[in-house]
Amino acid sequence: MKEELTPLSTEDGLKRLCELTGEGKLKFSSAFGEEDQVITHFIAKNKLPITVFTLDTGRLFQETYDVMDLTRKRYNIEIETYFPETSDVEDLVRKKGFNSFYESVENRKECCFIRKVKPLRRALRDTSVWITGLRAGQSAHRQSFEVLEWDADLNMIKYNPLLNWSYEEMQDFIKANKIPVNSLHKKGFASIGCAPCTRAIAPGEDLRAGRWWWENSQKECGLHETKAAVN
């Protein structure tokens, strides 16, 4: 599968993946970033049998909700939404307060696990291939990724069809196709997550410098930390 999909364009790769995989077995996770919007465009344009879903952590920017609704209307597609378990959030806040993620990397990852990782696992039940909007240029960590990988934690294949796109290539495509994007991008927000954990970046900063900016750690939430190439 890897040898067949890797040389293909993003659009052709998604089409071929649908041909190779049974209907209802493909899911695309969107956080409504620019990369995700490009993939949603391809899915909607070609009416591909790929389920689009998102994780609502409960602490997103209003601008993110705005682009969610705009995307649904523009492409006339359903977007499944998964929330964290109420009891998990209630227990976390009861024990550690509302902003425990600022206190340590461990606390931050605990919050990410509750609000993102656990809902992702629910979202991907009975899924054969998880499609993502990852690009190698987003961070040094992601430069080691493969177009097609095996996610050991989730026990499934992960397909990263935009992995080798440059930032400039992505911007040109968005402009040419008038793809809706989060208005925060125009305010210097390169990578957008939860509101308390995201800031705009300064010129020359790494694209993910605005995520968990108070930490000196790998800028990942736990969704994309394990990977292995597949054949």
Side-chain angles (χ1 to χ4, degrees):
M1 184 183 287
K2 179 181 178 182
E3 291 184 355
E4 184 170 358
L5 292 178
T6 300
L8 298 178
S9 67
T10 297
E11 187 169 16
D12 289 341
L14 289 168
K15 290 178 181 178
R16 183 56 180 153
L17 186 62
C18 291
E19 295 171 353
L20 294 171
T21 310
E23 187 172 348
K25 295 294 185 179
L26 299 175
K27 288 191 175 182
F28 166 54
S29 59
S30 173
F32 297 90
E34 292 172 308
E35 292 85 358
D36 298 330
Q37 293 297 86
V38 169
I39 294 179
T40 297
H41 174 84
F42 283 129
I43 291 172
K45 172 188 172 184
N46 295 284
K47 295 181 171 55
L48 299 178
I50 298 172
T51 299
V52 180
F53 73 91
T54 191
L55 307 177
D56 186 341
T57 65
R59 304 205 66 169
L60 302 179
F61 288 95
Q62 178 58 43
E63 289 85 349
T64 301
Y65 293 112
D66 292 341
V67 79
M68 284 184 187
D69 275 344
L70 185 60
T71 301
R72 292 177 63 186
K73 293 174 183 177
R74 162 72 184 275
Y75 293 111
N76 192 29
I77 59 172
E78 291 297 323
I79 299 172
E80 295 183 354
T81 305
Y82 291 83
F83 299 88
E85 295 287 349
T86 302
S87 60
D88 287 345
V89 177
E90 289 177 347
D91 287 344
L92 176 63
V93 172
R94 184 181 306 114
K95 293 174 182 176
K96 297 186 177 181
F98 290 96
N99 297 311
S100 60
F101 43 82
Y102 290 131
E103 297 171 4
S104 68
V105 174
E106 291 73 23
N107 277 358
R108 192 270 293 172
K109 289 191 173 182
E110 179 184 25
C111 187
C112 287
F113 183 79
I114 288 171
R115 295 179 184 275
K116 299 178 76 173
V117 178
K118 286 188 70 175
L120 177 76
R121 291 176 178 175
R122 283 193 287 114
L124 291 175
R125 286 175 186 164
D126 302 319
T127 301
S128 297
V129 182
W130 171 25
I131 302 167
T132 83
L134 298 177
R135 284 191 310 105
Q138 290 172 324
S139 69
H141 174 62
R142 296 181 179 186
Q143 289 174 13
S144 65
F145 287 11
E146 301 283 345
V147 171
L148 206 66
E149 301 176 325
W150 179 256
D151 189 297
D153 282 346
L154 295 169
N155 197 37
M156 71 175 58
I157 292 173
K158 182 161 68 171
Y159 180 46
N160 309 311
L162 287 186
L163 190 69
N164 297 316
W165 280 46
S166 68
Y167 178 78
E168 292 74 20
E169 182 180 5
M170 179 183 67
Q171 291 299 318
D172 289 344
F173 187 86
I174 288 172
K175 184 177 180 180
N177 291 277
K178 299 180 180 178
I179 295 174
V181 297
N182 196 316
S183 62
L184 288 174
H185 289 303
K186 294 182 179 180
K187 299 179 181 180
F189 288 76
S191 176
I192 303 169
C194 292
C197 302
T198 309
R199 66 161 173 80
I201 63 172
E205 277 194 300
D206 183 88
L207 291 177
R208 288 182 67 80
R211 303 293 293 277
W212 312 294
W213 70 92
W214 63 92
E215 290 182 6
N216 183 21
S217 67
Q218 182 172 289
K219 303 293 187 175
E220 296 290 346
C221 62
L223 299 183
H224 303 293
E225 291 187 354
T226 62
K227 78 278 184 201
V230 297
N231 296 318

